Every structure is written in C-alpha cells, then in structure tokens.
Amino acid sequence: MQLFETIVKHGEHEEVVICHNKDAGLKAIIAIHNTALGPALGGTRMWNYQSDEDALVDVLRLSKGMTYKAAASGLNLGGGKAVIIGDPKTQKNEALFRAFGQYVQSLNGRYITAEDVGTTVKDMEYVYAETRWVTGISKSLGGSGDPSPFTAHGVYMGIKASVKEKHKSDSLKGMRVAVQGLGNVGFHLVEELIREGAEVTVSDIDADKCKKVEKQFNVKVVSPDQILAADCDVLAPCALGAIFNDQTIPKLKTKIIAGGANNQLAEARHGQALKELGVLYAPDYVINAGGLMNVFVELEKYSPERALQKTETIYESILAIYEIAKKEDIPTNVAADRIAERRINQIGKLKQKHTGFNPRTFGTLKVDGR
Ligand code: NAD
C-alpha cells in the first residue's frame, strides 16, 4: 500500500495512528483530520474491510467529513474517526476494545471517540475502562445514551427551515412528507411530523417496521422502490447514502430534500443537478448534526434541555446555507462546505492568536465526572 500517497490524496490530515496489539487481535486506524476548532470527535467503526487500504481510505474520508460537520454546525470540535478492522459479529471481545481504548488514551484528548456502525454502547464501555476520552456512553455511567431522538429533532428543524425557505411559512400542517427508512432516526422523525399535522408517507425494506409505524400513526406505507419518486412536498431520506444519483434525480417529484441519512449525494456534482431542477437540498451533514450536538453537550455537562436547544440551532444553520447558496449562486452542498471552511480558517486563526492554541497540546476539555 502506498501509505503516504493515500493519505495525501484524501486531505491534509494532522495525524494518522496505526494501532496494533497482537495479543488482543487489534488492528485499527485512528485519523485526526483537523483540530483547529477543538479536539477531534468521531465514532469508531468496526468493519470487515476487504483490505487495509480500504480501511485507511474509509477512515480518512470519514474523519474529514467530521471536521466539516462540526465546523458548519458551529461546534468547537475538530474532525476525527477510527476504524477497527474485523468482523463485528464474530471478532469483538473485551480485550480488543480495551486495547483500542489505550490508543485513544495515548492521544490525551486530541481524539474523542464514540460508537458508530458496527460498535455499540457496550463496546464503548470497555473503551471507557481505559480512557475518559469517549462519549455517547450509557446513561447509567453518566452518558447521554441514544443520540437518535436528537438527530431526528434536528432533521425536523431542518425540514421546517426548508419549508420556510420555499413557502415563507414554516408550518408543516398539511405538508406532504415522504420518509425513507424507519430506523432509529426515521421513527422519531415520523413521530414529530405527525404531531405537527403533516401528511406522512413512509417506506422501509423491513416490513415489520412499516407495520409498527402504520399501527401507531396515521401514515401511508409505500414500497421501497416508490418512496424516492413519491409525489410530496418534502422527501426525508433516513436510510442509506448515495441515493441521489443520475438514475434517481430525474424521477424526483419533490421540491425539497431534507433528511437524516449520511452522504445522500452519490457525488458532489449531484448537488448541482438538484439545483438545476429547482430542488432545495438541505446538506446532510448539517441537518443530521443533532446527534453530534448531543454528545458535545455530554462532554461539557450533560443536560437534555441544552442538547435540545443546541439541536434547534440547525434551523438557523440551514437557513444561512440557503442564503449563501442564493447570494453566490452555488449548490447548497457547496455553500455548506464554504461555511465550514470559512469558520475553520477564521476561528482557527483566532484561537491561535488569542490562546496560543496549538493542536499538539490540546486536551484541556473537561469530561464531567470522569
Ligand atoms: P437504522 O439502521 O436504525 O435505520 C435505517 C433504516 O433504513 C432501517 O430500518 C432499514 O431497514 C431502512 N432501509 C435500508 N434501506 C432502505 C431502503 N432502500 N428503503 C427504505 N428503507 C431502507 O439507522 P439510523 O440510526 O436510523 O440512521 C439512519 C441514517 O441516518 C443513516 O444514514 C445514518 O448514517 C444517519 N445518521 C444517523 C444518526 C443517528 O443518530 N442515529 C446521526 C447522524 C446520521
């Protein structure tokens, strides 16, 4: 593998840590992309990667994404991520996560971890046995628990901002909203939409989830191949990524896309394609930042009220992105990137000037009670 070539190709990362503990069977990579705004926060993914190169590319890409997400959301956090190479179904054990925790500890707060795809709150409790630099742990240990209701609430606020932008009023009463995916985020989102009087259409590849939601709320269920082209005012993707591509975009009937799924655009150029069709797109990493805001509050001193308050700032953040997109005549995904980059440059410089901030010595953030 051309290690440095791969790293340089995927952005200017501050630090990439290769973690290996033979006895514990640990092979992991921690990538710290940028700490100009604060310590790098991002979850630990456990995945059976085809090759070490695939794992490296994934962690570089994901950590850079976290820098942009935190910056555009107005959080004083940088971007980082970790991947553990292995099968999450068969290769997990206490020693593996504790060995990983020792690597996180060795970074002394420059990187803060959390759960992600393939890892659970229980796994993070093993990590927590070795380091305080872990968040999103269970409520019984003083953590904030499941972030999904906060992610869903942020998406709901982003939908209201988008409706305001298109229709001048942000009321969702009578608005036709189509929700793809009824998992942790989708379910809570449907609950909030119904509460405000929206007409909700849903879909999930898991028929049991559809039945559960249909039983609980007054919703219309459609098949998974119909939901993206549903005739609606707002389409809220809350399942997988890369769903807006050359095949799906021409079939869209919605004029607003605002949902919680990560990496919704197959490629950045699809943001331009949506703009040309007059579809307002709420950039995914901004509208789905409620979960990140929740764990950020956990790092200070957890209060659900503060987490909720922070999540509600997504409304203004989304409107600010639409404003810049209009002013500069650019797609909204590009506007979000510009806002993030400007904040990293301006605030990052300010911190250096006023506090002598040096990413190398960062680590003063207090994790309450630990
Ligand atoms: P989840 O796994 O609980 O739910 C995803 C749901 O989508 C599942 O019910 C699955 O059956 C369904 N699904 C998959 N493919 C589908 C398809 N083609 N059509 C319809 N349904 C389909 O995941 P989640 O935690 O609810 O997260 C949803 C999305 O939001 C993901 O993209 C995730 O990365 C993103 N996200 C989640 C959080 C969070 O706090 N959970 C935070 C930020 C971003």
Side-chain angles (χ1 to χ4, degrees):
M1 175 184 9
Q2 301 294 316
L3 189 66
F4 285 101
E5 227 170 78
T6 306
I7 292 172
V8 171
K9 192 172 150 199
H10 288 86
E12 294 182 357
H13 291 71
E14 287 177 15
E15 190 170 351
V16 179
V17 183
I18 308 289
C19 317
H20 181 229
N21 184 317
K22 195 164 162 254
D23 295 336
L26 175 74
K27 277 172 78 181
I29 310 172
I30 299 172
I32 297 178
H33 176 254
N34 188 295
T35 57
L37 296 175
L41 192 148
T44 298
R45 183 164 289 196
M46 183 164 181
W47 197 253
N48 217 352
Y49 290 99
Q50 296 279 311
S51 67
D52 295 349
E53 168 96 19
D54 284 358
L56 178 62
V57 170
D58 206 27
V59 76
L60 294 172
R61 190 179 58 83
L62 292 166
S63 57
K64 186 174 176 186
M66 289 306 295
T67 297
Y68 279 73
K69 183 170 185 154
S73 306
L75 297 174
N76 290 324
L77 287 174
K81 202 89 181 181
V83 295
I84 296 178
I85 301 168
D87 187 342
K89 289 203 181 87
T90 58
Q91 286 175 270
K92 282 185 180 181
N93 60 65
E94 179 181 352
L96 178 112
F97 284 106
R98 291 188 67 157
F100 175 70
Q102 289 180 347
Y103 277 98
V104 175
Q105 178 60 22
S106 74
L107 293 166
N108 200 25
R110 258 171 60 70
Y111 168 65
I112 302 169
T113 198
E115 60 174 297
D116 195 71
V117 176
T119 59
T120 62
V121 170
K122 184 167 168 256
D123 302 330
M124 288 307 122
E125 284 171 11
Y126 291 137
V127 176
Y128 178 66
E130 301 292 335
T131 181
R132 64 190 182 118
W133 302 113
V134 50
T135 185
I137 52 172
S138 64
K139 286 186 178 163
S140 60
L141 287 174
S144 60
D146 178 14
S148 315
F150 293 90
T151 304
H153 188 62
V155 172
Y156 164 76
M157 295 307 293
I159 290 176
K160 283 179 81 66
S162 305
V163 167
K164 167 107 177 148
E165 179 70 17
K166 271 271 180 221
H167 303 283
K168 306 296 165 220
S169 152
D170 69 6
S171 168
L172 300 185
K173 197 164 168 35
M175 282 280 153
R176 297 164 307 150
V177 186
V179 180
Q180 182 194 41
L182 297 170
N184 295 314
V185 176
F187 179 84
H188 290 294
L189 177 63
V190 168
E191 207 172 19
E192 296 211 43
L193 293 171
I194 292 285
R195 201 180 300 139
E196 198 176 323
E199 284 177 27
V200 182
T201 300
V202 300
S203 183
D204 199 294
I205 48 171
D206 182 337
D208 288 343
K209 288 188 180 167
C210 291
K211 272 191 208 133
K212 185 182 160 205
V213 169
E214 204 177 16
K215 210 169 151 193
Q216 207 166 334
F217 307 109
N218 179 21
V219 296
K220 181 178 163 199
V221 177
V222 298
S223 69
D225 59 349
Q226 290 178 319
I227 193 80
L228 291 180
D231 191 4
C232 58
D233 301 302
V234 181
L235 175 61
C238 296
L240 304 179
I243 46 169
F244 299 115
N245 50 48
D246 296 338
Q247 284 72 45
T248 56
I249 290 176
K251 296 185 189 143
L252 290 172
K253 294 198 190 79
T254 188
K255 286 294 173 207
I256 297 175
I257 294 172
N262 272 318
N263 305 317
Q264 293 172 27
L265 304 178
E267 292 169 48
R269 69 180 170 87
H270 291 114
Q272 175 66 28
L274 292 174
K275 177 177 181 278
E276 282 165 15
L277 284 176
V279 177
L280 191 62
Y281 168 65
D284 46 17
Y285 69 77
V286 181
I287 192 171
N288 72 16
L292 178 66
M293 290 170 168
N294 189 52
V295 293
F296 177 77
V297 171
E298 180 182 331
L299 288 172
E300 297 175 331
K301 180 174 172 33
Y302 191 62
S303 133
E305 294 75 28
R306 262 186 47 72
L308 204 66
Q309 241 175 25
K310 264 224 166 313
T311 302
E312 295 193 341
T313 62
I314 288 175
Y315 185 95
E316 292 303 332
S317 301
I318 292 287
L319 285 179
I321 287 167
Y322 293 155
E323 200 51 41
I324 295 215
K326 273 188 293 189
K327 215 183 263 171
E328 300 185 19
D329 193 25
I330 51 176
T332 54
N333 57 315
V334 177
D337 287 355
R338 282 202 192 158
I339 287 182
E341 283 159 8
R342 269 178 217 163
R343 186 158 178 263
I344 292 164
N345 288 334
Q346 289 173 349
I347 308 299
K349 263 189 205 137
L350 209 67
K351 281 198 168 199
Q352 275 173 342
K353 198 169 157 196
H354 292 300
T355 64
F357 176 83
N358 171 358
R360 288 257 146 223
T361 56
F362 203 96
T364 53
L365 195 78
K366 290 219 171 40
V367 181
D368 187 67
R370 290 179 228 169

